[in-house]
Amino acid sequence: MLKPKFNNSSTQTLIPLHNPFLFAHPNYVAPSSFSVPHQNSLSNKTNLGILRPINAILSSSTEETTTVTAVITVLQTVGGALTHLGLARGLDDISDLFGRSLLLELVAADLNPKSGREKATIKSYAGRTGKNESETYYEASFDIPEDFGEIGAVLIENQHRQEMYVKNIVLDGSLHITCDSWIQPKSDNPEKRLFFSDKSYLPSQTPSGLKRRRQKELVNVRGDGQGVRKSSDKIYDYDVYNDLGDPDAEDNDLTRPVLGGVQHPYPRRCRTSRPRTLKDPLSESRSSNMYVPRDEAFSEVKQATFSAKTVYSVFHALVPSLQTSVISTDLGFPNFTAIDTLFDEGFELPDIPTNGFLANIIPRLVRTISDIGDSVLRFETPQFIDRDKFAWIRDAEFGRQTLAGINPMCIQLVTEWPLKSNLDPEVYGPPQSAITTELVEEDIGGLCTVEEALKQKKLFILDYHDLLLPYVNKVREIKGTTLYGSRTLFFLMPTGTLRPIAIELTRPPSKGKGQWKEVFKPCWDPTGVWLWRLAKTHVLAHDSGVHQLVSHWLRTHCCVEPYIIATNRQLSAMHPIYMLLHPHLRYTMEINALAREALINASGIIENGFSPGKYSMELSSAAYDQQWQFDLQALPADLIHRGMAVEDPSAPHGLKLTIEDYPYANDGLLLWDAIKQWVADYVSFFYPESSLVESDEELQSWWTEIRTVGHGDKKDEPWWPRLQTPDDLVGILTTIIWVASGHHAAVNFGQFDFGGYFPNRPTIARTPMPTEDPNDEEKKLFLERPEAFLLQCFPSQVQATVVMAILDVLSNHSPDEEYIGDKMEVHWEGNKVITAAFERFNGRLKEIEGVIDARNADTKLKNRAGAGVVPYELLKPFSEAGVTGKGVPNSVSI
């Protein structure tokens, strides 16, 4: 702690290490050291010779005072060198010169005991004292009366002409106030910004001098649901997904339904308040400047720009470049050698101005040929294909990836036989599946009967029949694509691996034709082999679409956004649950806004590259309506629901897995338990009694708003957990943190490894099966050149390369990635109980890394180890930067 300076011979220390206000509980201790950059510590950095800050003026010259120094750390921004040129920069430099850059006001924690009113704040201007490459430091001095008491918060007014990103404020090295927020200039927003000290309070425990300000801050953040949002606003409000289409566009095919409401249930997004379209008053007009609350927009802060900037570059520069590189956007690959060229040689991009820029932003994808200056798109070889170039062909790998691939949460146990649909037979045809007992027993007859297989839990299914079938006829009206409802049946072998034994593809009645369905099986005759390969292509395209639209976008990005909005609207920044959740909700809203702009929008990447086409988001809504439940987002509940586990108190994690070697479940349960224990330790510290949970009005409002507003289309469902006890709260928080961290990592960071070589996971099937009403030309092509028929079914050159580029970027860890349990939040550093709990959490995550490494080295575990097999590392907690196929970030940050 810095030595304070005293006036009038005072011996009082304003901020003693034992001060009970600074620390939430008796177990809270001050940090042993704080590295605070004061003027003398900045002497070797850029010293601007700025005047020292002016001390606050006291109301009484005879009152004993303590001098306290505040150091404010401001982050440099990427645009700083450019945006700070001109008149505004000059005026800001003048403000700095006279020590009037920032006006700070100290807020007392307690009311005046005599008047019962808030104490007057103590003001002081802060001047710039130095800087380094990434931070600028400002300093203010305060002479504080003895009776001021404990400091509870700081008000800041930005005297500059430009916004500033304030990282933190440290007073005399011991009182730490985390800001991590943009402060708008006084000329744009005259209201001062308030930041509470890094101490947690339940609402009922809030110091008397902070209660009004705590409530007012929440009111400010909520807004009133009216008016136009400015990019500088910090307002969180709800709206439906009414901005995916563009009804006013000349292309009438860009109109899309509003998602959210009775017709198309969906989670809510953040309100942006753009004007309504002319042709459809229910739709919001589109623009490239999409509002997110200012502190959610991280792209201008140094080292926090990597993910958003690269994604934006691919959307707005690389994709147009690719589209102009190919003669026809419908042109497929002529042979597999041409596909290999994407990794071996790449292809030259057209000479357009953005390409030089792209080589700097995404050098992993775009290289500049130094001798001629041209740009070449060349993909890194995915680990999957580098280890075994022909793995994608084998049925064993097809089965393995349902358990250890990029979409391992759709496989489920068959519990009813025969298989049948729940759709209306009057519309979709007979519900009975064509996968019969006889067909199955032809394949597994040497091992067991179907009845025995059901009893022994050996039959598993990927069932996309009822989800996809209502969209088949609609999708088939789109040029260059097709769709089926599909079921894929697997048999669990004695080795613990899944063997695909049947694929059923179904087309509903259409245009005077009856329902068509056919079952395809692994074969040993040439025609049967190629039909099986084509059937697998269709199923993989279905799985890719469900993965991207449901497992990935819907269950993580989309469903997390209401948690973010409710957390900011209902939980004060000083609430302990806000502090716990905040790391897991960072950066998601900007990525989601970018997705609405160019990924999931009408004629965006998803619609152009995935099987459901223009109905992609409508299908995502159907999945939300039919399948999504909050309680089933918890990993153990999800496994039990799909028949992949049963409760067993004697088993590890309290579950017995139906398939013992299920890498996603095995590793996921390790991470789930670690998160749950950390959350339980945290919650028990702040909520030792159930009554504290029930009486916490902010917490109860938060959970109510998530259920009734953010996920309001499902507000009346009976499966919503109650929030009455600490255990209830632990379950809810663990689920939210798991979804934002472990679940998202499992479905995101392996996308390029498994989908970069697109024959392994084609995102679209463009042609129907050759056995479904083929014409003579199609019959001839299939029989004479089956490979060419398969290549026609694969994505086109443009579709494949665009999706590959997107998958590469989405699979990338940024250099400043924040991994789960890696670094403790500053808020907790002085609390020895929470610090100890976090250190146990961190230690457990490091142990999990070792457990996963050992599992991947165990060749008895055939779903994660063996010749040419990519080890399952997607749930290893930590990673270096880049496309690594491992690492679990805190949040949905890409």
Side-chain angles (χ1 to χ4, degrees):
M1 178 173 167
L2 299 179
K3 185 176 180 180
K5 292 171 272 191
F6 298 101
N7 297 329
N8 297 336
S9 301
S10 170
T11 58
Q12 178 202 14
T13 301
L14 180 70
I15 311 176
L17 291 179
H18 62 272
N19 191 324
F21 166 70
L22 295 179
F23 318 118
H25 293 266
N27 292 318
Y28 196 103
V29 296
S32 58
S33 65
F34 250 110
S35 176
V36 184
H38 284 70
Q39 181 71 30
N40 56 0
S41 68
L42 294 169
S43 58
N44 294 327
K45 300 172 184 174
T46 304
N47 194 320
L48 303 178
I50 305 300
L51 296 177
R52 299 292 293 175
I54 303 170
N55 284 8
I57 299 174
L58 301 177
S59 58
S60 171
S61 59
T62 61
E63 194 172 5
E64 290 187 350
T65 63
T66 300
T67 299
V68 171
T69 300
V71 176
I72 305 97
T73 302
V74 175
L75 294 187
Q76 303 286 340
T77 62
V78 170
L82 299 177
T83 60
H84 285 183
L85 295 177
L87 178 61
R89 170 62 186 271
L91 293 173
D92 288 347
D93 284 347
I94 292 173
S95 296
D96 288 343
L97 180 64
F98 287 97
R100 290 180 176 267
S101 307
L102 296 167
L103 175 63
L104 272 66
E105 298 183 34
L106 302 184
V107 178
D110 296 312
L111 296 174
N112 186 312
K114 295 180 180 179
S115 67
R117 297 180 178 179
E118 293 176 359
K119 297 176 183 178
T121 60
I122 299 177
K123 301 178 182 180
S124 180
Y125 284 99
R128 187 165 59 181
T129 56
K131 68 177 183 178
N132 60 25
E133 290 183 356
S134 61
E135 298 176 341
T136 299
Y137 306 106
Y138 294 82
E139 195 170 298
S141 291
F142 299 88
D143 291 332
I144 306 177
E146 181 179 8
D147 62 356
F148 186 77
E150 297 150 353
I151 300 170
V154 173
L155 288 161
I156 304 181
E157 183 177 83
N158 179 7
Q159 303 283 324
H160 281 167
R161 265 62 177 179
Q162 305 213 6
E163 64 179 0
M164 305 172 72
Y165 189 90
V166 178
K167 180 181 178 182
N168 58 40
I169 304 168
V170 181
L171 289 93
D172 270 12
S174 60
L175 180 60
H176 195 285
I177 298 176
T178 300
C179 302
D180 284 329
S181 183
W182 293 96
I183 312 296
Q184 300 305 313
K186 176 183 177 182
S187 57
D188 289 347
N189 186 356
E191 185 165 355
K192 300 179 180 71
R193 286 294 307 281
L194 178 70
F195 297 98
F196 297 108
S197 65
D198 286 359
K199 180 183 176 183
S200 300
Y201 292 105
L202 299 181
S204 61
Q205 300 166 345
T206 309
S208 59
L210 301 178
K211 285 184 178 180
R212 181 189 66 83
R213 296 183 187 274
R214 177 173 185 154
Q215 294 168 357
K216 184 174 183 291
E217 278 296 289
L218 288 174
V219 171
N220 290 344
V221 156
R222 293 170 193 154
D224 59 5
Q226 304 296 319
V228 177
R229 294 279 76 84
K230 299 183 296 184
S231 61
S232 59
D233 285 346
K234 188 177 181 290
I235 295 175
Y236 295 78
D237 201 359
Y238 296 95
D239 206 344
V240 293
Y241 280 74
N242 59 359
D243 62 343
L244 301 179
D246 190 0
D248 291 343
E250 292 183 8
D251 184 352
N252 293 326
D253 199 37
L254 296 182
T255 298
R256 297 292 180 270
V258 173
L259 302 185
V262 176
Q263 188 171 0
H264 298 290
Y266 217 54
R268 298 304 189 259
R269 62 167 177 89
C270 184
R271 178 177 175 268
T272 57
S273 73
R274 289 169 293 178
R276 298 303 171 105
T277 60
L278 299 176
K279 295 181 180 179
D280 180 9
L282 297 179
S283 295
E284 192 173 79
S285 60
R286 296 181 54 78
S287 69
S288 59
N289 186 20
M290 193 174 294
Y291 169 79
V292 294
R294 188 67 185 99
D295 288 346
E296 303 291 341
F298 61 95
S299 59
E300 294 182 47
V301 180
K302 241 178 185 178
Q303 294 185 339
T305 62
F306 181 81
S307 298
K309 195 170 185 180
T310 50
V311 173
Y312 189 89
S313 299
V314 169
F315 285 166
H316 294 280
L318 181 59
V319 170
S321 180
L322 288 172
Q323 290 171 338
T324 60
S325 302
V326 180
I327 297 173
S328 170
T329 56
D330 297 327
L331 190 65
F333 287 88
N335 47 54
F336 279 90
T337 302
I339 298 174
D340 294 339
T341 301
L342 295 174
F343 308 100
D344 301 335
E345 302 172 15
F347 64 86
E348 188 175 329
L349 294 172
D351 185 17
I352 58 178
T354 56
N355 287 341
F357 161 77
L358 285 171
N360 294 325
I361 298 298
I362 42 177
R364 189 181 139 87
L365 290 176
V366 179
R367 281 86 164 173
T368 299
I369 303 173
S370 57
D371 55 342
I372 59 175
D374 289 343
S375 295
V376 171
L377 177 72
R378 186 172 74 236
F379 293 93
E380 297 286 338
T381 302
Q383 183 183 186
F384 166 76
I385 209 69
D386 190 46
R387 285 176 173 250
D388 186 349
K389 186 175 182 178
F390 301 106
W392 69 276
I393 299 175
R394 289 195 294 274
D395 290 350
E397 183 62 19
F398 177 39
R400 190 189 76 84
Q401 287 186 29
T402 64
L403 301 171
I406 198 62
N407 191 31
M409 57 275 299
C410 287
I411 188 75
Q412 54 186 315
L413 179 71
V414 176
T415 57
E416 295 182 359
W417 193 267
L419 303 172
K420 64 178 182 180
S421 170
N422 292 317
L423 298 174
D424 184 355
E426 295 294 323
V427 177
Y428 300 103
Q432 293 79 17
S433 171
I435 302 176
T436 63
T437 299
E438 293 73 23
L439 281 174
V440 174
E441 289 185 349
E442 284 178 10
D443 201 280
I444 67 169
L447 297 170
C448 62
T449 64
V450 167
E451 184 178 359
E452 291 168 338
L454 291 169
K455 288 180 180 179
Q456 297 170 20
K457 298 184 178 181
K458 291 186 177 297
L459 287 180
F460 297 84
I461 191 170
L462 283 179
D463 191 349
Y464 300 138
H465 183 278
D466 285 9
L467 179 63
L468 297 182
L469 200 65
Y471 293 92
V472 168
N473 289 332
K474 296 179 182 179
V475 169
R476 287 182 167 218
E477 294 177 357
I478 304 171
K479 179 185 176 183
T481 188
T482 192
L483 191 65
Y484 294 101
S486 67
R487 298 185 181 100
T488 306
L489 194 66
F490 299 84
F491 181 75
L492 181 63
M493 300 296 290
T495 56
T497 58
L498 287 179
R499 172 184 166 191
I501 57 176
I503 292 173
E504 179 185 32
L505 300 178
T506 304
R507 179 202 70 201
S510 173
K511 298 178 180 178
K513 297 179 180 178
Q515 183 194 71
W516 177 91
K517 65 176 65 171
E518 187 168 348
V519 177
F520 303 89
K521 298 178 61 180
C523 291
W524 286 264
D525 66 278
T527 300
V529 166
W530 280 104
L531 287 173
W532 175 247
R533 285 178 182 168
L534 283 163
K536 282 200 299 182
T537 296
H538 283 274
V539 167
L540 288 167
H542 302 165
D543 190 66
S544 293
V546 171
H547 161 258
Q548 204 64 262
L549 294 166
V550 182
S551 303
H552 185 196
W553 164 256
L554 173 65
R555 292 181 62 182
T556 63
H557 289 261
C558 185
C559 286
V560 164
E561 186 151 340
Y563 310 151
I564 301 170
I565 300 172
T567 298
N568 282 278
R569 284 169 53 88
Q570 299 298 340
L571 298 181
S572 166
M574 64 168 65
H575 198 292
I577 302 306
Y578 177 93
M579 293 182 177
L580 175 67
L581 285 177
H582 185 62
H584 304 288
L585 306 179
R586 286 182 184 135
Y587 313 137
T588 304
M589 291 183 74
E590 185 172 25
I591 289 296
N592 286 2
L594 187 60
R596 300 205 315 274
E597 182 184 340
L599 187 65
I600 62 173
N601 61 301
S603 196
I605 305 297
I606 295 294
E607 286 196 2
N608 285 324
F610 286 76
S611 281
K614 62 184 286 186
Y615 301 99
S616 292
M617 292 305 293
E618 192 176 325
L619 186 144
S620 177
S621 168
Y624 177 73
D625 184 30
Q626 299 168 25
Q627 301 174 1
W628 190 87
Q629 296 184 200
F630 179 86
D631 58 329
L632 296 183
Q633 305 316 298
L635 177 60
D638 171 56
L639 293 171
I640 293 170
H641 177 72
R642 291 187 286 118
M644 303 305 290
V646 294
E647 293 187 71
D648 183 351
S650 65
H653 319 292
L655 293 179
K656 178 177 176 57
L657 294 179
T658 310
I659 300 176
E660 292 183 10
D661 181 16
Y662 184 2
Y664 165 69
N666 294 128
D667 297 357
L669 287 169
L670 291 174
L671 185 58
W672 170 271
D673 280 359
I675 294 171
K676 186 175 182 180
Q677 185 59 59
W678 153 240
V679 172
D681 290 344
Y682 188 93
V683 167
S684 66
F685 182 74
F686 292 102
Y687 295 93
E689 300 174 0
S690 293
S691 60
L692 292 172
V693 173
E694 292 186 280
S695 63
D696 187 334
E697 62 267 22
E698 286 185 11
L699 187 70
Q700 294 296 332
S701 296
W702 167 78
W703 184 233
T704 298
E705 186 165 292
I706 286 174
R707 292 183 292 109
T708 64
V709 184
H711 286 277
D713 293 337
K714 288 180 172 280
K715 65 180 184 299
D716 297 322
E717 296 289 353
W719 39 254
W720 283 106
R722 294 183 177 182
L723 181 51
Q724 298 175 331
T725 68
D727 285 346
D728 294 340
L729 181 57
V730 168
I732 290 167
L733 294 173
T734 303
T735 299
I736 290 174
I737 293 172
W738 160 256
V739 169
S741 57
H743 180 123
H744 180 258
V747 298
N748 185 73
F749 292 102
Q751 290 191 86
F752 186 76
D753 275 343
F754 288 104
Y757 186 74
F758 68 86
N760 181 60
R761 285 187 66 78
T763 58
I764 190 169
R766 297 192 296 156
T767 58
M769 292 293 293
T771 54
E772 183 207 340
D773 304 328
N775 58 39
D776 292 340
E777 184 179 348
E778 290 169 342
K779 283 182 182 178
K780 182 178 180 182
L781 178 63
F782 172 68
L783 292 173
E784 295 183 359
R785 298 185 59 211
E787 179 181 319
F789 196 95
L790 177 62
L791 288 164
Q792 281 189 359
C793 189
F794 280 160
S796 70
Q797 294 184 34
V798 169
Q799 288 171 328
T801 50
V802 166
V803 170
M804 288 164 67
I806 294 297
L807 297 185
D808 184 279
V809 172
L810 296 181
S811 302
N812 218 317
H813 287 297
S814 67
D816 62 334
E817 194 81 86
E818 299 172 10
Y819 296 99
I820 190 167
D822 186 23
K823 295 180 181 178
M824 186 168 63
E825 295 293 300
V826 176
H827 316 298
W828 306 321
E829 286 183 351
N831 186 318
K832 64 183 182 182
V833 174
I834 299 302
T835 298
F838 187 87
E839 288 174 352
R840 288 193 298 272
F841 181 42
N842 175 268
R844 179 54 182 152
L845 294 175
K846 291 176 180 176
E847 291 175 5
I848 289 173
E849 292 235 318
V851 172
I852 292 175
D853 286 340
R855 288 173 173 175
N856 287 330
D858 186 351
T859 54
K860 295 192 296 294
L861 301 176
K862 300 185 185 303
N863 290 319
R864 65 189 309 151
V869 172
V870 176
Y872 189 77
E873 297 184 309
L874 289 171
L875 291 172
K876 286 188 71 173
F878 310 116
S879 174
E880 60 275 13
V883 179
T884 64
K886 60 184 176 182
V888 180
N890 266 327
S891 63
V892 182
S893 56
I894 182 65

